């Protein structure tokens, strides 16, 4: 049985503190030890040292190896050109660096990253930023489906439209979409926040466990256990601060954004009677 705190700012913004029985959480870093918040095997880089990579004629494996070589040489700013929409590029980067991509990426771009700031001038395919831990990714054009799948931290931003299932299984961090998103966005969302400045497709927030979704446009339909909530001053302050970071604005103003949270009827689904389960679904 989960117990939920009903006080504090995080609760007011739709985020909750819970304690689950028979669960443990392993600590990898101590937040008080700033010097140790890095991976021992991640190369140290200097943002003032610039490396360039022209991907013309290279395959994805060679490109990723070359990125690591540049990082091992201390390059903290890497300018990558002509990626050719190849899949699986710029993945597994664990150093804090600036990566500028001129062009578009294919499927699974920038997955499993923890720290870099990535700017992509073109588009991205499915599952950009999958399992992202920290850092920022800014996509200047559109993105495919499952944008930010299982993201755990950092800011993932698309200035254009995205496909369906945005933020599926989101576990933390922030996803910002400047345009519209497709069906089943926020499906099985567990933590974090999602900002959709345009319209949202059907089944928004379906089976979401926790977290908060903000929508500036029209919502075609809410999913199971996703419910509207009142926008409060904390929401407004956070939304303005976060959008200002990327020079973005809500088309109809922050005050007119809709807030969606979990209804929590599914939290104890296994304990419900068969007749009650039918009512929930």
């Amino acid at each position: 049985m989960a117990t939920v705190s009903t006080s504090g700012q995080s609760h007011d913004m739709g985020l909750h503190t819970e304690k689950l029985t028979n669960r443990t959480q392993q600590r990898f870093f101590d937040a008080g030890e700033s010097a140790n918040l890095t991976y021992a095997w991640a190369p140290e880089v200097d943002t003032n040292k610039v490396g360039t990579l022209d991907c013309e004629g290279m395959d994805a494996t060679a490109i990723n190896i070359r990125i690591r070589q540049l990082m091992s040489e201390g390059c903290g700013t890497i300018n990558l050109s002509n990626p050719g929409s190849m899949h699986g590029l710029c993945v597994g980067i664990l150093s804090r660096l600036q990566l500028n991509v001129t062009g578009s990426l294919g499927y699974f771009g920038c997955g499993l990253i923890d720290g870099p700031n990535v700017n992509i001038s073109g588009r991205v395919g499915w599952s950009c930023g999958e399992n992202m831990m920290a850092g920022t990714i800014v996509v200047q054009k559109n993105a495919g489906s499952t944008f930010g799948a299982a993201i755990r931290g950092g800011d993932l931003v698309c200035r254009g439209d995205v496909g369906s299932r945005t933020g599926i299984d989101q576990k933390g961090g922030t996803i910002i979409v400047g345009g519209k998103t497709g069906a089943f966005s926020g499906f099985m969302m567990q933590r974090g926040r999602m900002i959709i400045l345009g319209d949202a497709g059907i089944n928004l927030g379906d089976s979401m466990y926790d977290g908060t979704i903000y929508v500036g446009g029209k919502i075609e339909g809410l999913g199971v256990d996703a419910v509207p909530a009142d926008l409060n001053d904390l929401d407004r302050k956070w939304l303005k601060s976060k959008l200002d970071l990327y020079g973005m604005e809500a088309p109809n103003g922050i005050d007119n954004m809709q807030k969606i949270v979990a209804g929590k009827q599914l939290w104890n689904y296994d304990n419900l009677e068969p007749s009650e389960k039918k009512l929930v679904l």
Side-chain angles (χ1 to χ4, degrees):
M1 179 76 69
T3 60
V4 184
S5 169
T6 57
S7 63
Q9 293 186 352
S10 63
H11 183 272
D12 292 338
M13 294 185 69
L15 302 177
H16 310 94
T17 301
E18 61 175 311
K19 184 177 181 181
L20 299 177
T21 59
N22 301 321
R23 297 289 189 274
T24 61
Q25 292 187 349
Q26 183 179 357
R27 292 173 57 188
F28 292 94
F29 301 117
D30 184 344
E33 299 178 3
S34 58
N36 295 329
L37 297 180
T38 58
Y39 295 92
W41 56 89
E44 294 186 9
V45 297
D46 179 0
T47 54
N48 292 318
K49 187 173 182 178
V50 181
T52 60
L53 174 55
D54 188 341
C55 302
E56 188 71 36
M58 302 173 67
D59 62 21
T61 300
I63 293 169
N64 286 327
I65 289 175
R66 182 56 184 153
I67 291 174
R68 280 157 177 72
Q69 288 174 342
L70 289 170
M71 291 167 56
S72 67
E73 295 168 5
C75 294
T77 299
I78 299 176
N79 298 320
L80 186 151
S81 60
N82 298 313
S85 298
M86 278 185 281
H87 307 319
L89 294 186
C90 311
V91 298
I93 299 174
L94 305 179
S95 296
R96 187 74 172 177
L97 57 83
Q98 179 65 44
L99 177 59
N100 303 309
V101 179
T102 301
S104 299
L105 301 182
Y107 299 164
F108 300 102
C110 304
L112 297 166
I113 67 171
D114 194 352
N117 296 314
V118 185
N119 183 72
I120 302 168
S121 70
R123 300 177 295 275
V124 294
W126 284 21
S127 298
C128 177
E130 182 187 26
N131 281 288
M132 173 182 177
M133 295 289 289
T136 63
I137 301 174
V138 180
V139 181
Q140 299 298 335
K141 295 185 179 179
N142 299 329
S145 296
T146 60
F147 185 66
I151 180 178
R152 286 162 166 75
D155 288 352
L156 179 59
V157 182
C158 177
R159 297 191 185 279
D161 298 330
V162 298
S164 60
R165 300 184 299 283
T166 300
I168 181 173
D169 198 25
Q170 181 176 352
K171 297 178 175 68
T174 302
I175 297 175
I176 304 176
V177 177
K180 59 185 179 182
T181 188
F184 283 96
S185 292
F187 178 59
M188 295 188 70
M189 184 179 188
Q190 297 180 38
R191 287 289 189 277
R193 300 183 180 101
M194 186 184 302
I195 304 172
I196 309 297
L197 295 180
D199 298 336
I202 60 173
N203 294 316
L204 178 71
D206 190 83
S207 302
M208 66 186 293
Y209 181 84
D210 206 343
T212 310
I213 303 174
Y214 302 96
V215 181
K218 176 185 175 183
I219 298 175
E220 205 168 328
L222 296 178
V224 172
D225 210 25
V227 298
D230 293 332
L231 203 69
N232 58 44
D233 289 339
L234 287 169
D235 295 308
R236 296 183 184 93
K237 183 178 179 180
W238 179 83
L239 283 166
K240 185 180 186 308
S241 175
K242 186 62 73 171
L243 292 175
D244 283 350
L245 281 176
Y246 301 100
M248 303 174 76
E249 296 181 356
N252 300 315
I254 289 175
D255 288 339
N256 293 316
M257 295 195 74
Q258 302 172 76
K259 177 181 176 181
I260 307 300
V261 298
K264 299 190 285 293
Q265 294 186 68
L266 297 178
W267 278 31
N268 300 299
Y269 181 78
D270 290 341
N271 296 329
L272 299 178
E273 296 296 329
S275 59
E276 292 176 314
K277 290 181 178 181
K278 290 181 180 180
L279 291 175
V280 171
L281 298 176

PDB file of all heavy atoms in Angstrom, residues 53-58 63 80-86 89 101-104:
ATOM      1  N   LEU A  53      33.336  17.455 -36.567  1.00  0.00           N
ATOM      2  CA  LEU A  53      33.141  16.118 -37.122  1.00  0.00           C
ATOM      3  C   LEU A  53      32.186  16.182 -38.303  1.00  0.00           C
ATOM      4  O   LEU A  53      31.007  16.482 -38.137  1.00  0.00           O
ATOM      5  CB  LEU A  53      32.593  15.181 -36.036  1.00  0.00           C
ATOM      6  CG  LEU A  53      32.184  13.766 -36.481  1.00  0.00           C
ATOM      7  CD1 LEU A  53      33.331  13.060 -37.181  1.00  0.00           C
ATOM      8  CD2 LEU A  53      31.707  12.955 -35.280  1.00  0.00           C
ATOM      9  N   ASP A  54      32.702  15.924 -39.494  1.00  0.00           N
ATOM     10  CA  ASP A  54      31.887  15.831 -40.699  1.00  0.00           C
ATOM     11  C   ASP A  54      31.567  14.359 -40.923  1.00  0.00           C
ATOM     12  O   ASP A  54      32.468  13.540 -41.147  1.00  0.00           O
ATOM     13  CB  ASP A  54      32.647  16.406 -41.900  1.00  0.00           C
ATOM     14  CG  ASP A  54      31.774  16.509 -43.153  1.00  0.00           C
ATOM     15  OD1 ASP A  54      30.723  15.828 -43.203  1.00  0.00           O
ATOM     16  OD2 ASP A  54      32.139  17.248 -44.080  1.00  0.00           O
ATOM     17  N   CYS A  55      30.274  14.015 -40.848  1.00  0.00           N
ATOM     18  CA  CYS A  55      29.854  12.619 -40.889  1.00  0.00           C
ATOM     19  C   CYS A  55      29.700  12.057 -42.307  1.00  0.00           C
ATOM     20  O   CYS A  55      29.320  10.899 -42.474  1.00  0.00           O
ATOM     21  CB  CYS A  55      28.526  12.461 -40.156  1.00  0.00           C
ATOM     22  SG  CYS A  55      28.577  13.010 -38.448  1.00  0.00           S
ATOM     23  N   GLU A  56      29.964  12.856 -43.293  1.00  0.00           N
ATOM     24  CA  GLU A  56      29.824  12.422 -44.683  1.00  0.00           C
ATOM     25  C   GLU A  56      30.664  11.168 -44.929  1.00  0.00           C
ATOM     26  O   GLU A  56      31.881  11.139 -44.683  1.00  0.00           O
ATOM     27  CB  GLU A  56      30.277  13.539 -45.629  1.00  0.00           C
ATOM     28  CG  GLU A  56      29.998  13.271 -47.101  1.00  0.00           C
ATOM     29  CD  GLU A  56      28.517  13.348 -47.436  1.00  0.00           C
ATOM     30  OE1 GLU A  56      27.820  14.191 -46.842  1.00  0.00           O
ATOM     31  OE2 GLU A  56      28.052  12.558 -48.295  1.00  0.00           O
ATOM     32  N   GLY A  57      30.004  10.097 -45.418  1.00  0.00           N
ATOM     33  CA  GLY A  57      30.694   8.858 -45.742  1.00  0.00           C
ATOM     34  C   GLY A  57      30.978   7.946 -44.569  1.00  0.00           C
ATOM     35  O   GLY A  57      31.587   6.880 -44.743  1.00  0.00           O
ATOM     36  N   MET A  58      30.562   8.314 -43.356  1.00  0.00           N
ATOM     37  CA  MET A  58      30.796   7.495 -42.162  1.00  0.00           C
ATOM     38  C   MET A  58      29.516   6.763 -41.763  1.00  0.00           C
ATOM     39  O   MET A  58      28.408   7.241 -42.024  1.00  0.00           O
ATOM     40  CB  MET A  58      31.274   8.370 -40.998  1.00  0.00           C
ATOM     41  CG  MET A  58      32.544   9.150 -41.263  1.00  0.00           C
ATOM     42  SD  MET A  58      32.950  10.309 -39.913  1.00  0.00           S
ATOM     43  CE  MET A  58      33.342   9.160 -38.581  1.00  0.00           C
ATOM     44  N   ILE A  63      30.889   7.158 -36.357  1.00  0.00           N
ATOM     45  CA  ILE A  63      30.588   8.504 -35.857  1.00  0.00           C
ATOM     46  C   ILE A  63      30.622   8.535 -34.339  1.00  0.00           C
ATOM     47  O   ILE A  63      31.232   9.424 -33.724  1.00  0.00           O
ATOM     48  CB  ILE A  63      29.216   8.977 -36.377  1.00  0.00           C
ATOM     49  CG1 ILE A  63      29.262   9.170 -37.899  1.00  0.00           C
ATOM     50  CG2 ILE A  63      28.786  10.268 -35.694  1.00  0.00           C
ATOM     51  CD1 ILE A  63      27.911   9.372 -38.531  1.00  0.00           C
ATOM     52  N   LEU A  80      28.990  18.834 -35.035  1.00  0.00           N
ATOM     53  CA  LEU A  80      28.787  17.660 -35.890  1.00  0.00           C
ATOM     54  C   LEU A  80      27.920  18.058 -37.083  1.00  0.00           C
ATOM     55  O   LEU A  80      26.853  18.659 -36.903  1.00  0.00           O
ATOM     56  CB  LEU A  80      28.128  16.553 -35.069  1.00  0.00           C
ATOM     57  CG  LEU A  80      27.941  15.173 -35.680  1.00  0.00           C
ATOM     58  CD1 LEU A  80      27.964  14.113 -34.588  1.00  0.00           C
ATOM     59  CD2 LEU A  80      26.636  15.079 -36.450  1.00  0.00           C
ATOM     60  N   SER A  81      28.366  17.724 -38.281  1.00  0.00           N
ATOM     61  CA  SER A  81      27.615  18.087 -39.490  1.00  0.00           C
ATOM     62  C   SER A  81      27.366  16.859 -40.359  1.00  0.00           C
ATOM     63  O   SER A  81      28.038  15.833 -40.222  1.00  0.00           O
ATOM     64  CB  SER A  81      28.375  19.151 -40.287  1.00  0.00           C
ATOM     65  OG  SER A  81      29.651  18.675 -40.684  1.00  0.00           O
ATOM     66  N   ASN A  82      26.380  16.991 -41.254  1.00  0.00           N
ATOM     67  CA  ASN A  82      26.018  15.930 -42.216  1.00  0.00           C
ATOM     68  C   ASN A  82      25.727  14.574 -41.562  1.00  0.00           C
ATOM     69  O   ASN A  82      26.258  13.544 -41.983  1.00  0.00           O
ATOM     70  CB  ASN A  82      27.121  15.758 -43.264  1.00  0.00           C
ATOM     71  CG  ASN A  82      27.325  17.009 -44.087  1.00  0.00           C
ATOM     72  OD1 ASN A  82      26.365  17.616 -44.564  1.00  0.00           O
ATOM     73  ND2 ASN A  82      28.584  17.402 -44.265  1.00  0.00           N
ATOM     74  N   PRO A  83      24.872  14.538 -40.528  1.00  0.00           N
ATOM     75  CA  PRO A  83      24.556  13.249 -39.901  1.00  0.00           C
ATOM     76  C   PRO A  83      23.697  12.348 -40.785  1.00  0.00           C
ATOM     77  O   PRO A  83      23.602  11.145 -40.524  1.00  0.00           O
ATOM     78  CB  PRO A  83      23.800  13.661 -38.636  1.00  0.00           C
ATOM     79  CG  PRO A  83      23.191  14.985 -38.972  1.00  0.00           C
ATOM     80  CD  PRO A  83      24.175  15.671 -39.866  1.00  0.00           C
ATOM     81  N   GLY A  84      23.053  12.911 -41.800  1.00  0.00           N
ATOM     82  CA  GLY A  84      22.309  12.095 -42.756  1.00  0.00           C
ATOM     83  C   GLY A  84      21.130  11.338 -42.172  1.00  0.00           C
ATOM     84  O   GLY A  84      20.751  10.283 -42.692  1.00  0.00           O
ATOM     85  N   SER A  85      20.568  11.812 -41.079  1.00  0.00           N
ATOM     86  CA  SER A  85      19.410  11.160 -40.433  1.00  0.00           C
ATOM     87  C   SER A  85      19.685   9.711 -40.056  1.00  0.00           C
ATOM     88  O   SER A  85      18.780   8.876 -40.039  1.00  0.00           O
ATOM     89  CB  SER A  85      18.174  11.244 -41.344  1.00  0.00           C
ATOM     90  OG  SER A  85      17.799  12.579 -41.572  1.00  0.00           O
ATOM     91  N   MET A  86      20.942   9.407 -39.756  1.00  0.00           N
ATOM     92  CA  MET A  86      21.278   8.045 -39.337  1.00  0.00           C
ATOM     93  C   MET A  86      20.735   7.762 -37.940  1.00  0.00           C
ATOM     94  O   MET A  86      20.566   8.667 -37.122  1.00  0.00           O
ATOM     95  CB  MET A  86      22.794   7.846 -39.376  1.00  0.00           C
ATOM     96  CG  MET A  86      23.315   7.529 -40.762  1.00  0.00           C
ATOM     97  SD  MET A  86      25.077   7.149 -40.776  1.00  0.00           S
ATOM     98  CE  MET A  86      25.751   8.805 -40.709  1.00  0.00           C
ATOM     99  N   LEU A  89      22.694   7.846 -33.238  1.00  0.00           N
ATOM    100  CA  LEU A  89      23.849   8.735 -33.128  1.00  0.00           C
ATOM    101  C   LEU A  89      23.856   9.482 -31.788  1.00  0.00           C
ATOM    102  O   LEU A  89      22.807   9.706 -31.186  1.00  0.00           O
ATOM    103  CB  LEU A  89      23.839   9.761 -34.262  1.00  0.00           C
ATOM    104  CG  LEU A  89      24.034   9.245 -35.689  1.00  0.00           C
ATOM    105  CD1 LEU A  89      24.153  10.420 -36.656  1.00  0.00           C
ATOM    106  CD2 LEU A  89      25.253   8.353 -35.799  1.00  0.00           C
ATOM    107  N   VAL A 101      24.552  19.792 -33.454  1.00  0.00           N
ATOM    108  CA  VAL A 101      24.301  18.936 -34.616  1.00  0.00           C
ATOM    109  C   VAL A 101      23.644  19.766 -35.709  1.00  0.00           C
ATOM    110  O   VAL A 101      22.544  20.301 -35.520  1.00  0.00           O
ATOM    111  CB  VAL A 101      23.399  17.736 -34.244  1.00  0.00           C
ATOM    112  CG1 VAL A 101      23.128  16.882 -35.482  1.00  0.00           C
ATOM    113  CG2 VAL A 101      24.046  16.907 -33.139  1.00  0.00           C
ATOM    114  N   THR A 102      24.316  19.866 -36.850  1.00  0.00           N
ATOM    115  CA  THR A 102      23.746  20.562 -38.006  1.00  0.00           C
ATOM    116  C   THR A 102      23.160  19.513 -38.942  1.00  0.00           C
ATOM    117  O   THR A 102      23.895  18.771 -39.591  1.00  0.00           O
ATOM    118  CB  THR A 102      24.816  21.382 -38.746  1.00  0.00           C
ATOM    119  OG1 THR A 102      25.380  22.328 -37.832  1.00  0.00           O
ATOM    120  CG2 THR A 102      24.199  22.126 -39.918  1.00  0.00           C
ATOM    121  N   GLY A 103      21.843  19.424 -38.971  1.00  0.00           N
ATOM    122  CA  GLY A 103      21.164  18.398 -39.741  1.00  0.00           C
ATOM    123  C   GLY A 103      20.151  17.660 -38.883  1.00  0.00           C
ATOM    124  O   GLY A 103      19.760  18.147 -37.811  1.00  0.00           O
ATOM    125  N   SER A 104      19.741  16.487 -39.346  1.00  0.00           N
ATOM    126  CA  SER A 104      18.696  15.706 -38.664  1.00  0.00           C
ATOM    127  C   SER A 104      19.226  14.352 -38.220  1.00  0.00           C
ATOM    128  O   SER A 104      20.145  13.791 -38.826  1.00  0.00           O
ATOM    129  CB  SER A 104      17.491  15.509 -39.592  1.00  0.00           C
ATOM    130  OG  SER A 104      16.920  16.748 -39.963  1.00  0.00           O
TER     131      SER A 104
END
